[in-house]
Structure formats: structure tokens, C-alpha cells
């Protein structure tokens, strides 16, 4: 084995979007926000706008998360050293997590027994004491479970028991809310709403079963959100509990539950037959008290489905009493969030704040949430995006948008570093191409070296994007992308991006064209092409009058590309950072699957999905003229991955047919003619070959396959053959991604990063030197350098790995590795070799 070195891995950046589902986001009393990103539970800090970690454990998409305690019970959690998180997924599994504020570490506690048979749609919880919590979960299986958790006081064991299981009938419940009823006895009330347009109320004790109390009718469509307030005083009545509900009927209703007489003075049958029962609302009994439920207010203001409503979190007063603000936050699919408060004189609930996403491409909000202190509000939208506003006003409300993390909301299929490693580009099945970069000026202010943000969205497409190739060589930045279509598209960086990148990195290279005339790009209303915006055209647009710039069904507004002086927010990214499309490359008969570019920036190779040899051919395109200069036939099924050797003399291809092919590529210096030849095609693995990569300094390469092996090969120039040198020890999962980089140590031939179908990543050190006295090859050796912590890795298949080709790290042992995967995430790791 090679002498093993200690490797320190540091998480630099995680970019990922939120699952597009209601109840997915929760804001905890600790100040952190949780959300589901495919099968992972992601945690982000709103102060730094960074995703801190992802929690592996679920095997299906995460539908809902809920903090214990949530922002609603922040006043009870002062001084807590440990906070807890519940997460539910599409297979009905609920997991409990523990977060230590002192150590800042996460711990998997347990998976709840008796989980649901179908996907969990909502989790709600209430703290009954410092060591006890009650929570309820609902699922598509039309069952609502009520649970009790005994929280350990001093590092003891958790005790989780199921108090009751309630049947919702034939139509499932989609939203829940729990509260303590006002009165001397500790009774709980559970509200549930769903597809039958009714709100169902159940009462119970912390140790007993829950019984049906009554039904609340009024909404005319599905109930989407419910939330109880703390007991409040209304018109001198001290014990009132308020319930707010929202529905797909676009309305919000506020219900009041008033404490009535003790049970000794109450006749239930007589009360149900009175006129007051039908006018004011139903009456129910809990313990030794009765409660009157009535409709307090009907709030109308949204123009579409209202997906969430939430009371502003209570706050602690100086006398240690709790104050419940009369303020409700609502979020709707109409692209707006509103804050509602009652007028002081009339008591009528009115809209006092409206914030929203004005982009024409937005499709509304799935949920809105308060911060624990009530000075910030957060929404998550259809595009997997977050939107955060903070009240920065002192005397008057002044809500300003804040920076939030962003990323893809579907599987990320390919990544590539910029020519000098100054940015990372990614493509995804969410039909977008995104650029992430470290914002130098912000990092300098915060004395931090790695404050990564999404700085541009060059392509917003109408098909899932499968592959990417960044053009190397000199000249302006260009990239080629391939999607679920037969056309390969070429894009070129506009002037606005070049200036933004210069502002972000403070390092724009001299070989970039300074005479770029294109400022940005517009998306055509009925097409997939992105049309360039020129300087003169932009000035003409500004001078237009009338209603030409408005967003209508017949037209869409023009983008306004501008130089960004700080990391952009979602509204800017979605529309104003597009790159113009310069060429379309026609030739393939099926959807594009793989792309690569040579290191001189002169050739691009492309392949498509195929089931025959004629369709599986690799096309070569000349950069600049974008003419097809070659069609390489070898494989009979889809070519899954291609890569040029570092001297551009060979093109390596691997395929679903389990074969590898090696082509020689010759370019005559006098003329631009390309000659190519198939040197060899041979069986590489016993299953599909997913990955291949070249050694950065020689003619050795690695291949990885579904057969859970990685093999190292070498090209023998004299015989034009490929010889297998070694096979790494078998892995526990399919190998889906490989990336080989050079090593600073002279006795090693580099470091090989290996990504697997389980999401795990390993680094292997390779030593493949010839013996000093014998010209024949020595026995190749490899050693495992490090297995990444699962809490750092992806939770689903790794799609691609890429080492950063940074100019600044030539003397340093620190390297950066980027990865992307099916868990919607793009990750960057910093590796220090000790």
C-alpha cells in the first residue's frame, strides 16, 4: 500500500433548493431553518445565508420538517442546550434528530415505530413541559397519529410513545395544529383539516386518547393550513384561543374558542338545540369546562389558493409573562405574502404588509414563516427558492429582501469549473443552468475566505438539462449544454456577467474579450432560445412608453441586465442574468446525454441516448465555426461519459454496453483538418460503465461501473493498445463518478475521487510509477486516503465530481473538490493534506 497521508476535509459550500411541497419548511427557536431537499433534511442559517449541513437517513423525498421547539415556542426555549427536529418522508417514515447548540453537532436519534403506510404530509408539535412534548402527524393513508416524546434531561434515553391513532375517513387530512386549552386542567386540542373542506377538532389529555369535539364548516375548498395562537384576551375576556385557517377557496378564517361555564352548569343536548348554537357556533366539552367556538373574522385579500397561515410567535415580557401579538402571516400561490392585523378602533382584520415575487416566471409560494423574534419572514416558492424579508425600519415598518441560499430543485446532472476555477457551473433536471462563485468583497468584509453564492442563471430552459461542457482556451467564456432534445446549444457570456464576475472575484483575466457588445439575454415568449440584448437595444427599451413593458398573456417583460455589486436575490437571478444563445448544433437523433471539450478549446464531443450503433456515434464539433468535423462509431448503446486526455491526443469513451473505446485525435498544424481513428474497443466491466477520467499528467485513465469496481488502465503507445493495470478493492455500491487530479508529492501519481450511488465519496492515493531499474511496469498500488463523513456527502447518487483547477494553489497542499448529485445539491469541499 502507498504511504497513507492524513487528509482534512472541510465543507465549503452546499447549494440546493427546497422540495416543492407544503409544510416542508420549519423555523426553529434556535434560529436555524430546516427544509427537505430530495431525501435529505437541509439546515440553513438565515444570518449567513449558508446551508450548514444535510442530514442523511431518509430513503424517500422529505415532505415535512418541524422543529422542537419551533419559533412559536421560542419563549419557552431560553437556555436550552439541545434542540430537536422531526422530519417525515414520502414513504411514511418519521425521524427524530438532536442538535447540540454547544457542540454544534447533529445526531440521529431514532426512527419512529408504527410509521404511516403512505407519505407524511404534516407534523405539528407542542411543548407541554421542558421534558415533554406532544406531536401529531398526518398522512395520505387517512390516519392521524398523536405521539408523546419524553425528552432526556441529562443525556438519558428518549421515550417515544403513540398516544392515539385517529382515522380521518375516506379523505386524508393535510394540515394539523395542536394547542393547550385555557383553563385549570391541562387538556389539549387538535385541529385537523383536509380534503373534506371541514376543520375537525379533537380533545384529549397528555396521557390519554383524543375524542372528537366538533366540526367547523365554512370553507368551500380544501383546508391547507391551520395554526393556534396562545390564549389571548378579547374585549376583556381573558381565556380565548384563536385558530386561523386557510383554504384553496382563497379565504382565511379566524375562529375563536371562548371558555364558557364549568361542566356542572352545561347541558350538551340542550345547547345543541338552541339558536345560539347555530348562530355563534358549536360548543364542546373538555375536562371540567365547556368551550364555545365561533367565527371571529373572515379575511379576504389573496387572489389564489392560500397555502399557509401562521401567528406571529409570542414574546416574553419584562414580568416574564407571555404576549401573543395579534398578527398573522399568510402565503399564497398568487406570489404574495401578507401580514394581517386588526384595526385598533374597529377590530377589522386588514392587510398591513404585502411582499412578493414580481418575476413573471414565478409560480407562487408554498409556505410562509416567522422568525422567532418576529422581525423576519420567509417564503419558499414553486421554483425551490427561498425569499426572506427583514423589517429594518425603526419607527415604521420597512421590509427589505435579504440574501438566502439557493440551488437546484431537481437532480443535478453535471458540473464544470470555469477556465481558471473562478466559478462553478451546474446543470439540472430543473431545466436551469446556474453559476456559483465566491464573493470576494463580502468575504473580505467578514474575514471569511469562502462565502459562496449563486451569481447567475445563464440558461432557463424548457427541457431537462443532462450535460455541460465549458469551452477551454482563450477568448470569452462559453459553454455548451445538452438537454432532453436533439439540439446542442452554445452560450456566450454577456458583458454584464463579466463585470459582475470581476466585481465578485476582483480578478478578471486579460485574455477575456473586452469588446463584448451583448449586455444580456431575453427569453422568447414562445420558444426556447435566449435572444441577445445589445447596448443600443437596451437604451431603446428604456425610452419606450405605454404598456409595452407589462407582463401580459401575449408578451413577457424584457430582462434588464445589470452589473451586480452584491450577491443577487431570486428575482434578479430568475430573469436578468441569462446568457445569449449563439449557436445550435444539429445532428443527433435522440436526446443529448454527454458532452466534453478538449483542453485547447478547439473541439467539443457530444453523444446522445441510443440503442443502436448508428445512433450511438460520437459527434465532433469545431469550436468557433461549430461545424461537425467527425462522427465516431464504436458503441452500440448510449455513450455515458467522454473525456479528452490532457494532451488532447486521445478521446476516451465509455458506454452502457460495458465497453470502453479509445480514439486517437490528430489535428494538422498547417490546416484545421481533424483526423481520428478508433484504436481499441474492449469490454471494461461486467455492468454499465458510468464514469471515466484521465490521469492529469500521463496516458493512464480510470473507469467506474455499476459492478462496484474501479479499474486503472494505461495506453501503450507502441502497440496502440489499452492495458489494465489494476482494480481497486470492490466498493459497497455502484461507482457513478470519478475525478483524478495531480499530487504535490513526487512519489505519487495523483489523487482519485470516487463518487457512489449511495452518495458517499472516497479519496484514493495512487502510485503507478515505473521501477527505476526495470523498464517494465511495477505493480500498481493504491491506498484509501479518506472516506467522507456521511453527514458531508450526498444522500443520493453522485452525478459528477470535478477538481478545481485553481492557479493560486500551485504551492499549497489545499485542494477543492466539487460534486453534484441526485439529491438536488451542489457541494464544494476543501481538502488539506497533512
Amino acid at each position: 500500500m502507498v504511504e497513507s497521508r492524513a487528509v482534512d476535509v472541510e465543507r465549503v459550500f452546499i447549494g440546493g433548493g427546497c422540495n416543492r411541497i407544503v409544510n416542508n419548511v420549519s423555523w426553529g427557536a434556535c434560529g436555524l431553518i430546516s427544509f427537505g431537499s430530495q431525501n435529505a433534511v437541509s439546515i440553513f442559517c438565515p444570518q449567513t445565508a449558508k446551508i450548514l449541513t444535510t442530514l442523511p437517513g431518509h430513503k424517500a423525498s422529505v415532505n415535512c420538517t418541524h422543529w422542537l421547539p419551533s419559533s412559536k415556542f421560542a419563549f419557552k426555549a431560553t437556555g436550552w442546550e439541545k434542540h430537536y427536529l422531526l422530519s417525515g418522508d414520502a414513504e411514511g417514515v418519521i425521524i427524530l434528530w438532536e442538535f447540540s447548540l454547544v457542540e454544534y453537532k447533529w445526531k440521529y436519534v431514532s426512527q419512529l415505530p408504527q410509521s404511516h403506510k403512505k407519505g407524511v404530509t404534516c407534523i405539528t408539535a407542542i411543548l407541554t413541559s421542558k421534558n415533554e412534548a406532544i406531536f401529531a402527524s398526518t398522512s395520505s393513508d387517512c390516519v392521524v397519529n398523536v405521539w408523546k416524546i419524553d425528552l432526556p434531561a441529562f443525556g438519558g434515553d428518549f421515550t417515544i410513545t403513540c398516544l392515539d391513532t385517529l382515522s380521518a375517513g375516506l379523505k386524508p387530512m393535510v394540515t394539523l395544529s395542536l394547542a393547550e386549552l385555557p383553563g385549570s386542567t391541562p387538556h389539549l386540542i387538535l385541529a385537523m383539516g383536509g380534503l373534506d373542506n371541514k376543520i375537525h377538532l379533537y380533545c384529549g389529555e397528555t396521557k390519554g386518547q383524543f375524542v372528537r369535539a366538533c366540526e367547523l364548516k365554512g370553507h368551500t375548498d380544501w383546508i391547507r393550513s391551520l395554526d393556534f395562537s396562545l390564549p389571548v384576551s378579547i374585549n376583556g375576556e381573558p381565556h380565548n384561543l384563536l385558530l386561523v385557517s386557510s383554504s384553496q377557496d382563497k379565504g382565511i378564517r379566524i375562529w375563536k374558542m371562548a371558555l364558557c361555564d364549568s361542566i356542572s352548569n352545561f347541558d350538551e343536548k340542550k345547547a345543541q338545540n338552541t339558536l345560539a348554537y347555530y348562530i355563534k357556533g358549536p360548543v364542546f366539552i373538555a375536562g371540567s369546562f365547556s368551550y364555545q367556538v365561533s367565527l371571529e373574522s373572515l379575511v379576504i385579500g389573496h387572489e389564489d389558493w392560500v397555502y399557509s397561515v401562521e401567528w406571529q410567535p409570542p414574546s416574553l415580557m419584562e414580568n416574564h409573562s407571555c404576549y401573543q401579538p395579534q398578527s398573522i402571516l399568510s402565503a399564497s400561490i398568487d406570489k404574495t405574502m401578507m401580514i394581517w392585523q386588526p384595526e385598533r378602533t374597529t377590530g377589522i382584520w386588514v392587510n398591513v404588509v404585502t411582499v412578493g415575487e414580481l418575476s413573471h416566471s414565478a409560480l407562487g409560494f408554498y409556505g410562509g414563516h416567522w422568525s422567532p423574534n418576529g422581525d423576519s419572514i420567509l417564503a419558499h416558492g414553486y421554483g425551490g427558492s427561498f425569499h426572506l424579508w427583514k423589517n429594518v425600519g425603526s419607527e415604521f415598518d420597512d421590509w427589505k429582501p435579504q440574501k438566502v441560499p439557493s440551488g437546484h430543485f431537481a437532480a443535478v446532472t453535471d458540473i464544470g469549473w470555469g477556465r481558471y476555477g473562478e466559478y462553478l457551473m451546474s446543470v439540472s433536471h430543473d431545466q436551469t443552468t446556474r453559476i456559483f462563485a465566491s464573493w470576494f468583497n463580502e468575504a473580505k468584509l467578514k474575514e471569511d475566505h469562502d462565502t459562496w453564492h449563486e451569481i447567475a442563471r445563464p440558461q432557463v430552459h424548457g427541457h431537462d438539462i443532462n450535460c455541460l461542457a465549458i469551452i477551454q482556451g482563450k477568448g470569452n467564456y462559453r459553454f455548451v449544454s445538452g438537454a432532453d432534445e436533439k439540439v446542442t446549444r452554445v452560450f456566450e457570456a454577456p458583458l454584464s456577467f463579466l463585470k459582475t464576475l470581476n466585481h465578485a472575484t476582483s480578478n478578471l483575466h486579460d485574455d477575456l474579450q473586452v469588446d463584448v457588445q451583448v449586455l444580456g439575454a431575453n427569453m422568447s415568449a414562445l420558444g426556447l432560445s435566449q435572444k441577445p440584448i445589445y447596448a443600443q437595444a437596451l437604451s431603446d427599451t428604456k425610452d419606450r412608453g405605454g404598456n409595452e413593458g407589462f407582463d401580459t398573456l401575449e408578451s413577457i417583460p424584457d430582462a434588464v441586465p445589470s452589473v451586480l455589486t452584491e450577491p443577487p436575490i431570486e428575482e434578479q437571478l430568475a430573469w436578468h442574468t441569462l446568457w445569449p444563445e449563439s449557436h445550435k448544433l444539429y445532428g443527433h437523433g435522440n436526446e443529448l446525454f454527454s458532452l466534453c471539450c478538449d483542453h485547447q478549446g478547439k473541439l467539443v464531443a457530444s453523444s446522445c441516448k441510443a440503442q443502436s450503433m448508428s445512433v450511438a456515434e460520437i459527434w465532433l464539433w469545431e469550436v468557433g465555426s461549430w461545424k461537425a468535423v467527425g462522427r465516431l462509431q464504436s458503441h452500440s448503446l448510449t455513450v455515458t461519459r467522454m473525456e479528452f486526455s490532457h494532451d488532447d491526443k486521445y478521446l476516451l469513451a465509455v458506454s452502457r454496453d460495458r465497453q470502453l473505446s479509445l480514439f486517437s485525435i490528430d489535428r494538422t498544424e498547417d490546416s484545421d483538418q481533424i483526423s481520428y481513428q478508433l484504436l481499441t474497443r474492449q469490454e471494461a466491466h461486467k455492468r454499465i460503465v458510468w464514469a471515466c477520467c484521465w490521469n492529469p499528467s500521463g496516458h493512464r485513465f480510470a473507469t467506474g461501473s455499476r459492478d462496484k469496481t474501479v479499474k486503472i488502465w494505461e495506453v501503450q503507445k507502441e502497440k496502440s493498445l489499452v492495458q489494465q493495470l489494476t482494480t481497486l478493492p470492490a466498493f459497497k455500491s455502484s461507482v457513478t463518478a470519478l475525478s483524478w487530479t495531480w499530487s504535490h508529492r513526487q512519489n505519487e501519481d495523483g489523487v482519485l475521487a470516487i463518487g457512489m450511488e449511495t452518495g458517499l465519496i472516497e479519496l484514493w492515493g495512487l502510485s503507478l510509477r515505473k521501477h527505476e531499474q526495470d523498464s517494465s511496469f511495477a505493480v500498481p498500488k493504491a491506498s484509501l486516503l479518506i472516506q467522507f463523513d456521511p453527514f458531508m456527502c450526498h444522500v443520493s447518487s453522485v452525478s459528477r465530481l470535478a477538481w478545481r483547477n485553481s492557479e493560486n494553489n500551485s504551492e499549497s497542499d489545499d485542494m477543492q473538490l466539487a460534486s453534484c448529485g441526485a439529491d438536488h445539491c451542489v457541494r464544494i469541499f476543501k481538502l488539506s493534506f497533512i
Side-chain angles (χ1 to χ4, degrees):
M1 299 288 283
V2 178
E3 178 190 353
S4 182
R5 294 182 289 166
V7 182
D8 182 42
V9 181
E10 178 186 342
R11 183 192 295 111
V12 174
F13 170 73
I14 302 174
C18 180
N19 288 343
R20 298 188 291 180
I21 191 166
V22 186
N23 302 322
N24 189 248
V25 177
S26 179
W27 201 326
C30 59
L32 300 180
I33 297 167
S34 64
F35 66 96
S37 182
Q38 209 243 4
N39 296 356
V41 179
S42 299
I43 310 295
F44 93 77
C45 176
Q47 283 77 30
T48 59
K50 289 179 67 174
I51 297 178
L52 303 177
T53 188
T54 54
L55 309 179
H58 289 283
K59 297 179 181 178
S61 180
V62 176
N63 284 349
C64 50
T65 62
H66 192 88
W67 279 94
L68 268 176
S70 63
S71 59
K72 185 176 182 179
F73 295 100
F75 69 96
K76 287 188 176 182
T78 52
W80 280 36
E81 293 183 356
K82 292 183 178 179
H83 288 240
Y84 307 94
L85 181 67
L86 291 158
S87 57
D89 67 25
E91 289 183 350
V93 173
I94 299 175
I95 294 178
L96 176 65
W97 310 86
E98 179 185 277
F99 175 60
S100 171
L101 282 174
V102 180
E103 300 175 358
Y104 225 71
K105 288 185 178 179
W106 283 90
K107 176 186 173 184
Y108 174 97
V109 177
S110 68
Q111 177 179 322
L112 269 64
Q114 305 173 21
S115 53
H116 294 278
K117 296 178 181 178
K118 293 185 178 180
V120 182
T121 54
C122 183
I123 297 175
T124 186
I126 182 173
L127 286 177
T128 52
S129 69
K130 191 171 183 179
N131 299 322
E132 184 183 82
I134 306 292
F135 79 92
S137 60
T138 183
S139 164
S140 303
D141 60 8
C142 301
V143 169
V144 176
N145 288 332
V146 184
W147 311 79
K148 177 184 175 183
I149 301 181
D150 291 321
L151 304 174
F154 303 101
D157 294 332
F158 289 82
T159 305
I160 304 173
T161 53
C162 184
L163 293 180
D164 202 356
T165 298
L166 308 173
S167 175
L170 298 177
K171 295 185 177 181
M173 298 292 106
V174 295
T175 179
L176 304 170
S177 186
L178 269 169
E180 288 183 296
L181 281 169
S184 59
T185 54
H187 273 74
L188 301 179
I189 183 166
L190 171 65
M192 58 179 75
L195 278 58
D196 63 356
N197 308 347
K198 302 173 186 176
I199 300 171
H200 303 267
L201 298 182
Y202 285 78
C203 294
E205 298 183 35
T206 57
K207 297 180 180 179
Q209 292 186 336
F210 280 68
V211 295
R212 179 186 292 271
C214 61
E215 292 180 353
L216 305 181
K217 301 177 182 178
H219 286 292
T220 58
D221 208 333
W222 291 5
I223 313 291
R224 297 312 305 232
S225 183
L226 296 167
D227 191 32
F228 278 111
S229 71
L230 262 63
V232 295
S233 175
I234 300 177
N235 299 326
E237 301 174 3
H239 300 295
N240 291 285
L241 195 65
L242 295 179
L243 171 67
V244 61
S245 62
S246 69
S247 166
Q248 291 181 183
D249 62 10
K250 310 176 188 177
I252 300 169
R253 289 172 180 257
I254 303 172
W255 311 83
K256 181 177 77 172
M257 297 174 194
L259 179 62
C260 299
D261 299 332
S262 63
I263 193 169
S264 58
N265 302 326
F266 178 74
D267 185 348
E268 185 176 5
K269 290 185 178 180
K270 186 178 179 182
Q272 289 180 357
N273 295 326
T274 60
L275 187 61
Y277 184 91
Y278 294 97
I279 296 176
K280 292 183 179 180
V283 179
F284 65 89
I285 299 173
S288 57
F289 292 94
S290 61
Y291 298 85
Q292 174 86 53
V293 186
S294 58
L295 180 64
E296 176 73 11
S297 184
L298 173 62
V299 181
I300 300 293
H302 285 290
E303 298 176 356
D304 213 329
W305 297 356
V306 185
Y307 266 140
S308 85
V309 282
E310 189 175 290
W311 287 98
Q312 183 175 335
S315 55
L316 270 179
M317 308 298 288
E318 293 181 359
N319 59 357
H320 300 288
S321 63
C322 183
Y323 169 67
Q324 170 69 66
Q326 295 290 284
S327 185
I328 294 172
L329 174 68
S330 62
S332 168
I333 206 74
D334 67 2
K335 310 179 189 179
T336 63
M337 275 203 308
M338 295 181 180
I339 297 177
W340 305 86
Q341 293 175 358
E343 280 189 337
R344 291 184 179 180
T345 54
T346 63
I348 298 174
W349 287 79
V350 294
N351 171 26
V352 293
V353 175
T354 301
V355 294
E357 188 180 24
L358 302 179
S359 168
H360 83 283
S361 58
L363 289 172
F365 296 139
Y366 277 151
H369 302 273
W370 290 96
S371 64
N373 59 4
D375 69 344
S376 300
I377 52 177
L378 174 82
H380 63 104
Y382 179 83
S385 57
F386 288 106
H387 308 262
L388 179 66
W389 288 270
K390 186 173 183 179
N391 187 5
V392 297
S394 55
E395 297 181 2
F396 302 97
D397 284 356
D398 185 13
W399 295 85
K400 296 291 185 183
Q402 306 293 309
K403 290 189 289 289
V404 288
S406 63
H408 295 283
F409 57 91
V412 188
T413 50
D414 206 352
I415 52 173
W417 286 100
R419 192 182 310 154
Y420 305 106
E422 64 273 67
Y423 63 82
L424 179 69
M425 184 178 289
S426 61
V427 295
S428 165
H429 285 167
D430 69 2
Q431 307 182 351
T432 65
T433 301
R434 303 178 189 234
I435 292 179
F436 303 91
S438 177
W439 202 272
F440 176 78
N441 290 341
E442 187 183 36
K444 194 173 181 181
L445 289 173
K446 296 183 178 180
E447 298 183 357
D448 186 3
H449 298 294
D450 295 298
T451 55
W452 284 76
H453 299 276
E454 183 181 350
I455 66 167
R457 207 166 291 173
Q459 184 183 10
V460 178
H461 204 37
H463 296 286
D464 294 359
I465 307 176
N466 299 321
C467 48
L468 161 76
I470 295 178
I471 307 301
Q472 305 298 319
K474 295 185 177 182
N476 193 11
Y477 292 117
R478 290 173 291 182
F479 76 91
V480 184
S481 72
D484 279 345
E485 56 177 347
K486 303 174 184 179
V487 183
T488 310
R489 299 175 186 269
V490 184
F491 297 85
E492 188 164 340
L495 187 62
S496 59
F497 172 78
L498 297 178
K499 291 184 176 181
T500 297
L501 186 66
N502 185 39
H503 191 88
T505 62
S506 300
N507 185 21
L508 197 61
H509 290 267
D510 297 334
D511 62 352
L512 288 170
Q513 298 177 4
V514 293
D515 58 343
V516 176
Q517 298 298 315
V518 179
L519 293 180
N522 264 326
M523 177 64 72
S524 57
L526 298 175
L528 298 174
S529 299
Q530 296 173 190
K531 307 297 183 184
I533 300 174
Y534 296 95
Q536 183 61 36
L538 187 64
S539 61
D540 292 344
T541 303
K542 290 180 180 178
D543 295 337
R544 275 190 318 195
N547 296 326
E548 294 180 40
F550 284 98
D551 183 3
T552 65
L553 292 174
E554 293 79 19
S555 65
I556 52 178
D558 289 331
V560 184
S562 59
V563 180
L564 303 172
T565 56
E566 60 181 14
I569 58 176
E570 178 68 22
E571 285 77 1
Q572 295 169 305
L573 288 168
W575 194 238
H576 302 302
T577 59
L578 294 172
W579 287 21
E581 184 181 306
S582 59
H583 293 84
K584 294 184 182 71
L585 311 181
Y586 297 93
H588 286 289
N590 284 334
E591 299 93 337
L592 271 295
F593 196 84
S594 181
L595 287 165
C596 71
C597 178
D598 68 356
H599 298 81
Q600 300 177 32
K602 295 182 179 179
L603 282 178
V604 169
S606 63
S607 70
C608 69
K609 297 177 182 178
Q611 291 184 330
S612 64
M613 182 170 284
S614 59
V615 181
E617 59 188 4
I618 299 169
W619 285 59
L620 292 180
W621 309 88
E622 185 180 48
V623 175
S625 67
W626 298 109
K627 295 179 180 178
V629 293
R631 295 168 66 175
L632 316 181
Q633 282 196 354
S634 174
H635 295 283
S636 57
L637 294 174
T638 305
V639 174
T640 56
R641 186 73 176 141
M642 303 172 291
E643 193 168 307
F644 285 93
S645 61
H646 282 256
D647 56 6
D648 292 334
K649 290 184 178 179
Y650 300 104
L651 174 64
L652 171 66
V654 294
S655 166
R656 296 180 70 98
D657 63 9
R658 310 173 187 179
Q659 310 271 326
L660 69 82
S661 295
L662 188 71
F663 300 89
S664 65
I665 307 293
D666 292 319
R667 178 189 288 271
T668 333
E669 293 187 2
D670 301 335
S671 65
D672 287 337
Q673 289 187 349
I674 305 293
S675 60
Y676 49 88
Q677 180 185 356
L678 174 63
L679 297 181
T680 183
R681 181 184 71 237
Q682 61 191 71
E683 183 172 336
H685 292 269
K686 297 179 180 178
R687 303 288 298 276
I688 294 173
V689 190
W690 284 124
C692 66
C693 65
W694 286 92
N695 177 289
S697 58
H699 288 145
R700 288 177 290 275
F701 60 87
T703 57
S705 164
R706 183 179 280 175
D707 65 8
K708 305 179 183 180
T709 62
V710 172
K711 296 182 180 181
I712 310 297
W713 312 75
E714 174 140 18
V715 180
Q716 294 184 340
K717 300 179 185 177
E718 299 81 8
K719 302 178 182 178
S720 296
L721 294 175
V722 172
Q723 178 183 353
Q724 181 181 337
L725 298 180
T726 188
T727 301
L728 269 61
F731 296 92
K732 295 180 180 179
S733 174
S734 302
V735 176
T736 54
L738 296 171
S739 186
W740 201 338
T741 188
W742 59 283
S743 173
H744 300 290
R745 307 238 317 196
Q746 294 183 356
N747 65 335
E748 288 195 13
D749 224 28
V751 177
L752 181 65
I754 301 173
M756 284 164 263
E757 193 174 33
T758 55
L760 299 179
I761 299 173
E762 294 184 4
L763 294 187
W764 284 72
L766 299 175
S767 178
L768 302 168
R769 300 284 179 182
K770 292 182 180 180
H771 197 275
E772 293 181 359
Q773 299 176 353
D774 190 357
S775 60
S776 62
F777 288 104
V779 178
K781 295 180 181 179
S783 67
L784 175 64
L785 297 179
I786 190 171
Q787 289 180 331
F788 285 22
D789 188 325
F791 278 79
M792 280 192 171
C793 296
H794 297 272
V795 298
S796 295
S797 177
V798 180
S799 302
R800 196 76 74 233
L801 294 167
W803 291 97
R804 186 178 188 181
N805 50 334
S806 176
E807 297 176 329
N808 303 325
N809 290 346
S810 56
E811 300 294 330
S812 172
D813 272 355
D814 292 348
M815 295 187 289
Q816 287 192 338
L817 174 69
S819 66
C820 67
D823 62 355
H824 309 178
C825 287
V826 174
R827 299 167 188 263
I828 300 175
F829 306 96
K830 179 181 178 183
L831 298 111
S832 304
F833 293 89
I834 304 170

